[in-house]
Every structure is written in structure tokens, then in C-alpha cells.
Amino acid sequence: MKALALAVLGCLAFVASPLRAQDDSAGGGEIVVTGMRNSLSGPATVIQQPPVIGLKRTADSAVRTIEIVSDSREEGMRKREVQAMLLDAIDRAKRDGFSLVTGQFELVEVTRANWQDQFPALAGKVDTIDADDDDDDDNKQEPAFEDVGSTATVRLKVKTKLDGSIGNAQQKINGFVKSVPATGRSQIEQKGELALTIINPEQYRDEIYRRIAAGSKHAVTFYGPEYGLEVTGLDQSIAWKQVSNTEVFLYIPYGFSIRK
């Protein structure tokens, strides 16, 4: 059969941050939206545009990276100060409707019950990581806790529900950060910019299927009854990208062709 038209050929890829989730379970939890990416592991492939048909929706939450830092002179004091401030932040987050989370892409909530597992070096379960011993790999994720000999740092994120503008979300996070009292020489610093999150992207698969079906059926109506439709790529994982301050675009890297 002769192909008359090809539309929207998709790839499993993202542009701004070429990183992927670590295993096939990704997509069932809460995911940080960074550039354009999907839920499968493997090497990244750069593309110019995602498919036209997909689902645009408001993100579930906004997150901001924070660092709890102490520059006290004695190492043990630095660790005690950042630990005390971390535990206070955990308690205040639970009380005030925020969440403290870790994870570069798939988020894990930090609680009183699991903080030692999330920051084992701070809890004394492993040796403290010294940043001077790190290699020069620019893509290497910074450690959750490190002490460089003059400063101890705990890295995590604060998450708030996105129920308004991105500016409103930032104001709420600012208020939370200011509410956590310093312990000794410890303080909280905000780093980077706000990022959006989505919960369980795979839950939107059926809705995306419906939209692809409707769009492809509409396209074939412009041709005669002797033409048929072939859709491919529907077995691929959900991919996503941020498209505005508060919205994400979820899609399947599909393709369709109209053939005689």
C-alpha cells in the first residue's frame, strides 16, 4: 500500500534534561517534571517536538530544593545543628500542609520514621561524604548530606500543593522556610527554581488513547473511503514535559499514517 501521509512520529525522549527514571516502576508515584522525559530507563534521544495530540493539565504540586546548612567550627556540632533543624522542618511540614521529599525525579516523602534511611551519613549509618573526594562528573547528583570540613549540608525539597499561581506556591514555600527556626549556626537556603510534579502519569493513558483515536479518525475523513488508517506506538510509556508555569503535557510517542 502507498503511504499518503505520515503524522506526528514520536520518540521516547526529552530535551532540557536528558535523564530518565531508574526503573520501569516509574510513573506510579509522584514525578518531578524536568524538561521533557518519560518513564523508561535507557539512553536519551533528542527530538524537536513532542506529538501534537496529548493531554495538557495543571500539575499536582510545586517543589523547591532547599539546603539546611551549618558552618559551626566543630564537625559534631554541625551535624547536630542540621539534624535538629531537619527534624523541626519535618514536624512543621506535617503540621502546616507541606511535604519534605527527596529524589531527583521520583519523590519519596521524608518523615520522622524514615529520615535516617534518607540521610544515612547524617544519622551515622555510613561515613560522612566529603565533596573534595567527588569526581568531576557534572551530571553526578549532589549527595543528600555532606560535610566538606567547614560546612555541613542536608539537601532535600519542600513540596506544596499547586492550587493557584506559581507565584502563590512560591510565597507559601517562602513562608514555610522562614517559619523553621535556626539551631545554632544552621539555616535554610532555597536553591534552583520551582519545579512541577505529576502523580502517577500512567493513570492518564486511557484518556490519551481516546484523544489519539479521535484525532486520527478525524484526519482520515479528509480522504476517500478507499483509504485506511494505521496507528503505531501505543505500547510506549507515557512521556511528559512542562508547557507553562503551572501545566504539564502528557503524551504517548505515537505515529499514524493514512494508506490506500
Side-chain angles (χ1 to χ4, degrees), residues 110-127:
V110 180
T111 67
R112 280 268 183 175
N114 73 0
W115 76 268
Q116 296 186 41
D117 295 326
Q118 303 304 316
F119 306 99
L122 176 60
K125 293 186 175 182
V126 298
D127 291 337

Side-chain angles (χ1 to χ4, degrees), residues 18-78:
L19 298 169
R20 298 173 185 251
Q22 295 301 307
D23 55 54
D24 291 345
S25 66
E30 188 160 10
I31 306 297
V32 178
V33 178
T34 306
M36 188 190 306
R37 60 184 294 273
N38 65 73
S39 59
L40 288 181
S41 59
T45 304
V46 175
I47 62 172
Q48 292 183 343
Q49 293 291 338
V52 173
I53 299 173
L55 174 64
K56 185 168 73 171
R57 67 180 300 276
T58 301
D60 292 301
S61 300
V63 295
R64 182 78 184 268
T65 297
I66 59 173
E67 294 183 354
I68 302 175
V69 180
S70 171
D71 63 355
S72 288
R73 181 169 300 179
E74 196 267 319
E75 179 182 359
M77 180 64 72
R78 291 193 296 270

Side-chain angles (χ1 to χ4, degrees), residues 7-13 47 49-51 232-233 236 251-256:
V8 200
L9 296 180
C11 300
L12 295 180
I47 62 172
Q49 293 291 338
T232 60
Q236 304 288 2
Y251 63 93
I252 295 171
Y254 72 92
F256 70 77

Side-chain angles (χ1 to χ4, degrees), residues 135-152:
D135 57 32
D136 294 328
D137 184 1
D138 292 335
N139 293 322
K140 186 173 182 179
Q141 185 179 357
E142 292 184 296
F145 171 75
E146 67 177 348
D147 191 309
V148 297
S150 59
T151 304

